[in-house]
Amino acid sequence: MVTHAAGPGPGSILIVDDDINTALFMKTILHDRGFDTEAVHSGRESLDHLRAHRTDVVIADVHMPGMSGIELCRELRDHHPDLLSIVITGDGSVDAATEAIRAGAYDFIVKPVALDALAIAVARAMEHVSLRREVLRLRAAGLGALEGILGKSRAIRRTIALVERVAESDATVLVSGESGTGKELVARALHSQSSRRDAPFVAVNCAAMPATLLESELFGHVRGAFTDAKQSRPGVFVLAGSGTLLLDEIGEMPLEMQVKLLRVLQERTVRPVGGDQERPFAARLVVSTNLNLEHEVAAKRFRRDLYYRINVIGIPVPSLRERVGDILLLAQHFLERCAERIHKPVKGISESAARVLKDYGWPGNVREVENCIERAVALCRFDEITIGDLPSRFRQRDASTASGPLSAGELVTLDEMALRHVHRVLHAVGGNKTHAARLLGVDRCSLYRRLKRPIQPRLEAPPVRLARRRHPIPNRSVRNATTLDVEHVERDRR
């Protein structure tokens, strides 16, 4: 397997087309847009080029002598999995384009090549390559050392930097953030980065049990302390040894337990329930909460003295709204992890699905992303997650924004837009034309006609000339008025 390191700049492209004029045309266009672009004229030449040069995207014609574009796609899929390929298909080559996509092509362009279609396809491919390589780069940089904290946004990098700075300290740490942001991951990262990493890491959810059971869980109990206490049991303060103890959701701890916890932290000893002997503990304490403890103190739901005792070092964990640039990175990471776990060949996220994922508010933060992607991978029938695999709230959001303004790159002919939609449906149903026709609401004959219909190139709008007409506007009382009349060139010729 050959891999290519991501490099600086907007991206590197290799054009493979036996038509020298077409290859030169695309090379010039993409070079003018800032891409590092090269062109070769056969599949074998392209493989030789890839062995010696870093390349992000390969654009190949389907029909070439020797190695065809479809065969090249298979070769790239098997030996250059980090590259993306885009195929070019001419009139009557729809079936070949579908076969190429099955062979691993990322997208296709219809001949004659339109500038906007070429730019859109390359931009999509480059974004996908960048995302995939960023995931790999972060993994190689040592994700395991920070217990899976993933992200490149400024907000999460600040959190990671703070974790690395205070990991060796024995001071109590307060990790705060919304539910689902990864507070326990931060606590585990503090543990794994410290000299305590070989000792136990113990976590207790303070909101999951009543005060009586929580006291026994934290401090332990002696035999006979209560009805079911048939034998003595140490609490988690002792079980953690010289490791790290996480008290999760400490803001939910009952007030009567807060008093006892405050004494334990002040004396650094614990007394089991029903016992009369105090026992020292050596664990480092990390606490977490999704509440604003200052507000809880003001509302007298949390003790002020305990708040100051646990808030020695504060580490805020940003919400996903503060790190929008990490959404697709996280989604791709969870996709690959889930696909590997259930042995399903899902490799990526479609552009439309990526768009709605990025635009969604994510009130459940990273945990919601993980659950959403796990569901999508389980439902996905092919090698790419689409909007149909996402929960209904995403499909509704996509429908509500579908009528938004078009960018310049989306201005393509209706024929080409229709053909692209037909291809996506065909790809989704594995090339079954009967099933595709049923989903499209047409019969098989209409579908075949659509597939064989040549694509007309997009025409520019007719030129417009502004001519002055120097006579008063009818039915107006304004004298000597001057108006502007818009006249098309065809009208001038007549």
Side-chain angles (χ1 to χ4, degrees), residues 58 106 152 159 221 303 340 355 373 381 393 446:
V58 174
Y106 177 75
K152 61 180 181 180
T159 299
H221 62 262
R303 292 183 61 91
E340 181 180 1
R355 184 180 66 248
I373 296 300
R381 294 174 294 173
R393 61 184 181 274
S446 298

Side-chain angles (χ1 to χ4, degrees), residues 57 71 118 177 199 202 256 262 280 353 374 388 419 432 437:
V57 175
E71 293 171 332
L118 179 64
V202 181
E256 59 266 33
L262 178 63
E374 184 174 0
L419 181 59
N432 187 321

Side-chain angles (χ1 to χ4, degrees), residues 274-437:
D276 53 8
Q277 297 292 325
E278 293 191 343
R279 185 174 176 180
F281 67 90
R284 181 191 190 178
L285 185 65
V286 178
V287 300
S288 68
T289 180
N290 63 0
L291 302 176
N292 186 320
L293 290 187
E294 291 185 354
H295 293 171
E296 296 299 299
V297 168
K300 299 188 182 303
R301 292 189 291 265
F302 198 85
R303 292 183 61 91
R304 185 180 300 274
D305 46 6
L306 179 60
Y307 171 67
Y308 290 128
R309 173 65 64 177
I310 62 176
N311 190 25
V312 180
I313 300 175
I315 299 182
V317 184
S319 68
L320 210 50
R321 295 184 302 278
E322 301 172 74
R323 42 185 300 210
V324 175
D326 293 337
I327 292 174
L328 296 184
L329 194 63
L330 290 164
Q332 183 71 21
H333 169 70
F334 291 134
L335 181 153
E336 293 178 3
R337 191 173 71 179
C338 183
E340 181 180 1
R341 185 174 67 248
I342 65 176
H343 307 292
K344 199 167 184 179
V346 183
K347 298 179 180 178
I349 303 171
S350 70
E351 184 205 0
S352 55
R355 184 180 66 248
V356 296
L357 289 175
K358 194 171 183 179
D359 291 342
Y360 181 62
W362 298 109
N365 293 294
V366 179
R367 184 183 294 124
E368 187 181 5
V369 178
E370 183 175 11
N371 293 340
C372 173
I373 296 300
E374 184 174 0
R375 175 191 187 276
V377 171
L379 295 178
C380 185
R381 294 174 294 173
F382 303 101
D383 62 352
E384 190 176 67
I385 290 176
T386 65
I387 290 182
D389 302 319
L390 299 176
S392 58
R393 61 184 181 274
F394 293 94
R395 297 194 293 273
Q396 294 165 359
R397 184 179 185 88
D398 183 60
S400 67
T401 59
S403 59
L406 294 173
S407 66
E410 296 176 295
L411 301 177
V412 296
T413 65
L414 285 174
D415 276 346
E416 184 165 346
M417 183 180 295
L419 181 59
R420 285 177 174 271
H421 180 62
V422 168
H423 269 291
R424 290 191 177 99
V425 173
L426 275 171
H427 180 54
V429 298
N432 187 321
K433 293 184 174 62
T434 301
H435 192 185

